[in-house]
Amino acid sequence: MNDDAPRIHLGSLLRAPGDVSASGEVQELHYEQAGTPQVLRFAEPAAYGIDINSLEGNEFWLQGYFEPVLTQECSRCLKPVTVPLELTLGTLMQYRPAVPESFLEEAETGEELLVFGNPDLDLSNYLAEMTLLGSPLTVLHDPHCKGLCQVCGHDLNESPCEHSAAVPIEDEYASQPGIQEGSQHARQNPFAALSGLKLPED
């Protein structure tokens, strides 16, 4: 058991209708993905606030917020990028006493359902999944990032190199008429072979 895990105690809700709350900060989350232990670390302590209310029978409603700050790689130059997220949480929950570990499944309505069996609920898996679902697939450290040279890997934000330019190669080729066909830049230009093609006139 991870003593630093975000937890909320639901024993009182299982005995009588009502609501419970929990809040705090986490520096990392220990969770499982496809049966493999994983660790999701944050650039700074991530604040969370959770409220859980009784519904009917063995169902509950979770709402709250989670504010993790991730460190991802720039999709062009691979530099680290700090990515702050502000996640609004809202999830239906269902109590099943025989379930050893909480998990998310799709309910009949199509909504996500958080299933749990331990009244001392560890929120790590849930918050990790919400973070992964809410994080961007790609990020840029700067909107004008020039990326890396595809030939030598040089960071074009620092300076140009002999293989590639700071802009897409076809744009570079068009903007530098002095580059001769057959040169390194011309060979990299995917449109160079079409430069002499004559199309029939309408």
Side-chain angles (χ1 to χ4, degrees):
M1 179 183 295
N2 180 13
D3 293 336
D4 297 326
R7 315 187 78 84
I8 190 167
H9 302 278
L10 304 178
S12 62
L13 289 188
L14 298 177
R15 293 189 295 269
D19 61 87
V20 295
S21 301
S23 61
E25 294 182 337
V26 289
Q27 185 68 61
E28 60 186 24
L29 293 172
H30 295 257
Y31 67 104
E32 285 195 3
Q33 192 172 56
T36 303
Q38 306 282 348
V39 180
L40 182 60
R41 294 185 173 88
F42 305 117
E44 58 187 60
Y48 68 90
I50 302 290
D51 295 305
I52 298 180
N53 305 318
S54 301
L55 298 178
E56 294 183 357
N58 61 346
E59 293 189 340
F60 307 86
W61 178 252
L62 180 156
Q63 60 186 355
Y65 66 89
F66 187 42
E67 299 177 345
V69 179
L70 304 177
T71 301
Q72 296 181 236
E73 288 185 342
C74 175
S75 62
R76 292 180 186 169
C77 70
L78 307 183
K79 289 180 179 177
V81 184
T82 300
V83 183
L85 301 177
E86 295 182 0
L87 304 177
T88 299
L89 308 175
T91 305
L92 182 65
M93 300 176 62
Q94 188 177 87
Y95 175 58
R96 299 179 193 172
V99 172
E101 299 290 340
S102 63
F103 63 90
L104 282 166
E105 71 175 22
E106 186 174 323
E108 294 180 358
T109 59
E111 298 176 296
E112 287 199 322
L113 177 68
L114 176 59
V115 179
F116 72 100
N118 187 347
D120 183 18
L121 177 60
D122 184 344
L123 294 165
S124 298
N125 280 1
Y126 172 73
L127 292 178
E129 184 148 356
M130 293 299 102
T131 300
L132 296 176
L133 289 173
S135 61
L137 295 178
T138 60
V139 296
L140 297 176
H141 85 276
D142 184 284
H144 304 293
C145 177
K146 300 171 183 177
L148 304 176
C149 171
Q150 296 183 5
V151 177
C152 67
H154 175 73
D155 188 344
L156 298 173
N157 296 294
E158 297 177 358
S159 63
C161 75
E162 61 181 352
H163 302 110
S164 187
V167 294
I169 293 170
E170 58 270 22
D171 294 345
E172 154 96 6
Y173 187 76
S175 65
Q176 297 191 29
I179 296 178
Q180 298 297 316
E181 185 174 353
S183 68
Q184 178 68 33
H185 285 279
R187 288 196 299 272
Q188 284 185 275
N189 178 12
F191 302 103
L194 303 178
S195 60
L197 183 63
K198 296 182 178 179
L199 300 176
E201 298 181 359
D202 294 334

